[in-house]
Amino acid sequence: MLRFFCLGMGLLLAGQAWADDCRLENYGTLPVEMVGSRATTMVKINGNNTRFILDTGAFFNIMSSANASSLGLKLQSAPFGYRVSGIGGAASVQQAHVKEFGILDMTLKNVDFIVGGTDAGNGLLGANLLDFADLEIDLAHGKLTLFKVDHCDKESLAYWVKDGKYNVADIEPADNQFDRRTFFTVTINGKKARAVLDSGASATVLTRDAAERAGIDFNAPDVKVGSSGIGIGARPVKTWTVNIDSFSVGSETIQHSQMQVIDGRIGDRTDMLLGVDFLLAHHMFIANSKRKAYFTYNGGRVFTFATAPGDSDRSDAGTATDENGPAARTADDYALLGQAHLSRGEPKAAVGDLDEAIRMAPDQAAFYVARARAYEADKQSDAALTDLDKSLSLDPKNGDALLMRAELRFAHKDHTGAASDVAAASAVTPVGSTRAHSIASLYIELDQPTAALPMLDDWIRLHNDDAMLGSALNERCWARGLSNQMLDDALKDCRKAIKRDGENPTYLDSLGLVELRLGHYPESIKAYEQAVAQRPRSAWSRYGLGLARIRSGQTDAGNADLVAARTLDPQIESRAIKYGLTAAGP
């Protein structure tokens, strides 16, 4: 791969030159579309267009087994003992060989991918590809550019700066000579830590060990417990949000912010992932040739979990220029800007940019989907539905738009419309994909658990080392329990999920249902009691506990549970009756 690029240098365009012998030569610019918190670009795999995530924090290109399956790639054994590690621990892997890989209007021959780990939804382009040269990252304006730098040892490479104000940081060596990732020494509350620049991380995260070295007290009242986090490894991890007095990288210091902390290791000696939130807040030039990074601050919050500035306070909301950034010129420019604003938690600015994109190109279905996401984030669900209707009139087989409209219709109590959309989405969704998992979950919410089961079967088959496996096993257990089928297998699913992830109240609730169906009333009562102890406001758990107690002869206690369940959710009984869940059985 490197040999291919070197042979192509004679075709490169001369870039900006600001000293007699300092030149930047441009390999090409990748358009970067922010999809949620993911920086993505379109590539070709053996002639087929597909979306990949740009992941400077990945040592090597990687994709999930489901990605490889949908792309028609054959899997081969990885070298004996080879594994990948990161947040969530280690995962076993295989490898896939791509004969033709299209990127930057070029076709690379015989590109290898690691296959395995937790499914990010799309494949990942790693540092082995992205950091082979110098790299400009400008996610706020939707671009990533590769450069060859000649004779610029004494020059700043923040070439876009007009006012002379920029920051610089030294790039630290990797532990492995083949590792092209970008490492920095940072300081957190005055204590040094090792960070990797990771465009594949949806938010900046710090390990608990590093946080404690920086003086963070996890028993302090301002520490907030978060939901489970996932990475490449096979297990979900605990998270917290903590206050950080000061954070410095190179010549930049950020005072009084908040950051996410994970309970576990990142891998190697790394203490921190500087995620896509940090990159969206900065315009960066990674000068691998000089072992330095140059960067400027775009404004707004730097870390996802920091207190966000008021979106209405933006004096230039909806415009596409800043002091050191290029002005948008095309509809695509405005669309990329809008999605970057949305990823930074600025939905009003996103709508403004996407309004302009749609004005310039009203027949682009993807622009309406993007604006629908912005409207939804801004709590304008009716406007979001209108945009999704328009998008689907232009592109009726857009699976993401169909799923999003199904979810919004479900939230609006339009179950018939949601069911129609979810059926249409399932017909155009790759087997075992993350979208397929979401569709299966919505089928269950729509009281169609039988329709969810084959989709869950495929997802589980293709994700045997995924951090979300426990959740999927639980969903299949629940769907089998609701539909009263394959109960012995359902019991195995629930037990595997609990063994894997611990006594999660949702998992215990599913276990209680299956034990109830099987007539194992003492076991059902035990599971439901454990679920209720952790989540006392769950109507399903309280209702199931009542049924199990009544059937075991504890009539008064069971009836009291049913009354409590009806108080929590007046509709619980009518839904339970649909599945034959009554005091009489089954």
Side-chain angles (χ1 to χ4, degrees):
M1 179 171 59
L2 285 176
R3 182 170 177 268
F4 175 89
F5 278 119
C6 291
L7 291 173
M9 285 182 185
L11 301 176
L12 300 177
L13 298 175
Q16 178 169 339
W18 53 92
D20 289 342
D21 56 353
C22 175
R23 298 188 67 81
L24 297 184
E25 292 184 301
N26 187 337
Y27 283 109
T29 297
L30 291 172
V32 181
E33 181 179 351
M34 294 302 304
V35 179
S37 57
R38 299 292 192 182
T40 72
T41 196
M42 296 300 294
V43 299
K44 285 183 180 291
I45 299 287
N46 295 334
N48 297 312
N49 289 321
T50 187
R51 186 176 300 281
F52 266 63
I53 296 166
L54 300 168
D55 190 355
T56 59
F59 172 81
F60 202 83
N61 303 325
I62 189 168
M63 66 176 72
S64 70
S65 297
N67 296 145
S69 175
S70 67
L71 293 168
L73 300 177
K74 294 182 179 180
L75 300 186
Q76 303 170 345
S77 297
F80 179 75
Y82 192 85
R83 294 169 68 81
V84 294
S85 63
I87 293 175
S92 57
V93 296
Q94 296 174 283
Q95 61 183 350
H97 188 71
V98 175
K99 293 181 180 178
E100 294 186 345
F101 181 77
I103 188 170
L104 291 175
D105 296 322
M106 297 180 289
T107 300
L108 308 181
K109 302 291 186 180
N110 303 319
V111 177
D112 289 326
F113 280 80
I114 295 170
V115 178
T118 292
D119 193 347
N122 301 97
L124 310 176
L125 299 183
N128 63 306
L129 180 65
L130 298 175
D131 276 283
F132 86 94
D134 286 7
L135 180 68
E136 180 190 2
I137 306 175
D138 186 11
L139 299 190
H141 293 93
K143 65 178 185 176
L144 183 150
T145 305
L146 298 174
F147 286 100
K148 178 179 181 289
V149 175
D150 281 326
H151 306 297
C152 297
D153 292 345
K154 297 180 181 180
E155 300 290 340
S156 161
L157 295 180
Y159 69 88
W160 61 91
V161 171
K162 300 174 183 177
D163 58 11
K165 297 177 181 178
Y166 61 89
N167 293 294
V168 62
D170 291 329
I171 297 175
E172 300 294 337
D175 292 337
N176 183 321
Q177 63 176 324
F178 301 108
D179 188 349
R180 295 198 181 102
R181 292 178 295 170
T182 301
F183 293 93
F184 300 118
T185 294
V186 301
T187 59
I188 302 164
N189 296 348
K191 301 294 184 180
K192 290 184 178 181
R194 182 173 172 85
V196 64
L197 192 66
D198 189 352
S199 61
S202 59
T204 294
V205 297
L206 180 67
T207 65
R208 180 169 183 165
D209 285 348
E212 289 177 336
R213 292 200 307 270
I216 302 299
D217 178 5
F218 284 81
N219 294 315
D222 58 356
V223 172
K224 299 177 182 178
V225 177
S227 57
S228 295
I230 60 173
I232 194 68
R235 305 286 179 178
V237 296
K238 295 179 182 178
T239 68
W240 300 265
T241 301
V242 303
N243 289 327
I244 300 293
D245 291 334
S246 67
F247 167 83
S248 297
V249 54
S251 56
E252 180 181 67
T253 297
I254 299 161
Q255 304 281 0
H256 308 303
S257 190
Q258 294 79 38
M259 195 176 293
Q260 188 178 60
V261 175
I262 60 165
D263 189 18
R265 298 181 60 192
I266 290 173
D268 304 323
R269 297 184 294 117
T270 305
D271 299 308
M272 168 182 274
L273 304 180
L274 277 176
V276 76
D277 49 356
F278 182 87
L279 285 164
L280 281 164
H282 294 88
H283 186 167
M284 302 193 75
F285 194 103
I286 308 302
N288 292 309
S289 58
K290 299 176 64 174
R291 307 303 299 165
K292 290 187 180 294
Y294 300 89
F295 53 104
T296 53
Y297 173 52
N298 292 332
R301 69 180 180 187
V302 176
F303 303 123
T304 294
F305 291 86
T307 303
D311 196 35
S312 60
D313 294 337
R314 291 179 55 87
S315 60
D316 60 342
T319 66
T321 185
D322 59 39
E323 184 179 357
N324 289 316
R329 293 183 176 86
T330 68
D332 285 339
D333 289 342
Y334 279 104
L336 294 174
L337 280 166
Q339 291 179 91
H341 278 305
L342 181 58
S343 295
R344 297 194 71 193
E346 300 165 353
K348 287 183 171 60
V351 169
D353 287 326
L354 289 160
D355 283 347
E356 186 63 16
I358 289 169
R359 184 191 67 78
M360 297 174 73
D363 59 346
Q364 293 297 307
F367 294 171
Y368 293 96
V369 177
R371 192 171 66 178
R373 292 192 181 104
Y375 277 134
E376 184 183 20
D378 201 35
K379 298 181 172 56
Q380 298 186 56
S381 57
D382 289 339
L385 280 167
T386 298
D387 268 358
L388 290 169
D389 289 344
K390 177 63 176 179
S391 174
L392 287 164
S393 73
L394 295 167
D395 182 8
K397 294 185 177 181
N398 184 321
D400 290 329
L402 285 164
L403 177 58
M404 184 178 176
R405 190 170 70 175
E407 291 169 339
L408 283 172
R409 284 176 163 176
F410 180 77
H412 281 226
K413 310 296 184 184
D414 178 10
H415 289 193
T416 300
S420 174
D421 279 343
V422 80
S426 65
V428 296
T429 293
V431 168
S433 63
T434 54
R435 190 203 299 156
H437 190 183
S438 298
I439 289 170
S441 300
L442 190 51
Y443 266 131
I444 295 171
E445 291 293 322
L446 287 164
D447 294 330
Q448 297 183 45
T450 301
L453 285 171
M455 304 189 83
L456 289 169
D457 289 343
D458 287 330
W459 193 94
I460 290 168
R461 174 176 55 83
L462 290 168
H463 295 81
N464 61 5
D465 212 7
D466 194 287
M468 295 300 294
L469 178 59
S471 175
L473 287 167
N474 171 69
E475 285 182 287
R476 190 168 68 177
C477 172
W478 177 246
R480 285 169 168 171
L482 287 176
S483 56
N484 200 20
Q485 60 177 295
M486 302 180 70
L487 295 178
D488 289 336
D489 289 333
L491 196 60
K492 292 176 183 176
D493 279 345
C494 269
R495 287 173 174 168
K496 285 180 183 177
I498 291 169
K499 182 178 180 180
R500 197 175 191 281
D501 294 347
E503 293 185 338
N504 182 308
T506 302
Y507 298 5
L508 291 166
D509 180 70
S510 301
L511 177 62
L513 172 61
V514 174
E515 298 281 24
L516 178 69
R517 291 286 204 191
L518 288 167
H520 302 163
Y521 302 132
E523 292 84 354
S524 178
I525 290 170
K526 179 181 177 181
Y528 276 132
E529 285 179 338
Q530 290 175 311
V532 169
Q534 294 186 57
R535 200 172 57 183
R537 297 194 60 79
S538 169
W540 264 113
S541 296
R542 186 56 65 96
Y543 196 85
L545 178 59
L547 295 182
R549 282 175 168 166
I550 289 170
R551 294 184 195 179
S552 68
Q554 303 174 43
T555 306
D556 291 343
N559 283 326
D561 285 324
L562 296 185
V563 170
R566 295 184 194 108
T567 301
L568 291 167
D569 179 2
Q571 305 302 317
I572 185 64
E573 191 160 39
S574 61
R575 189 175 180 198
I577 288 172
K578 289 181 183 178
Y579 297 111
L581 291 168
T582 65

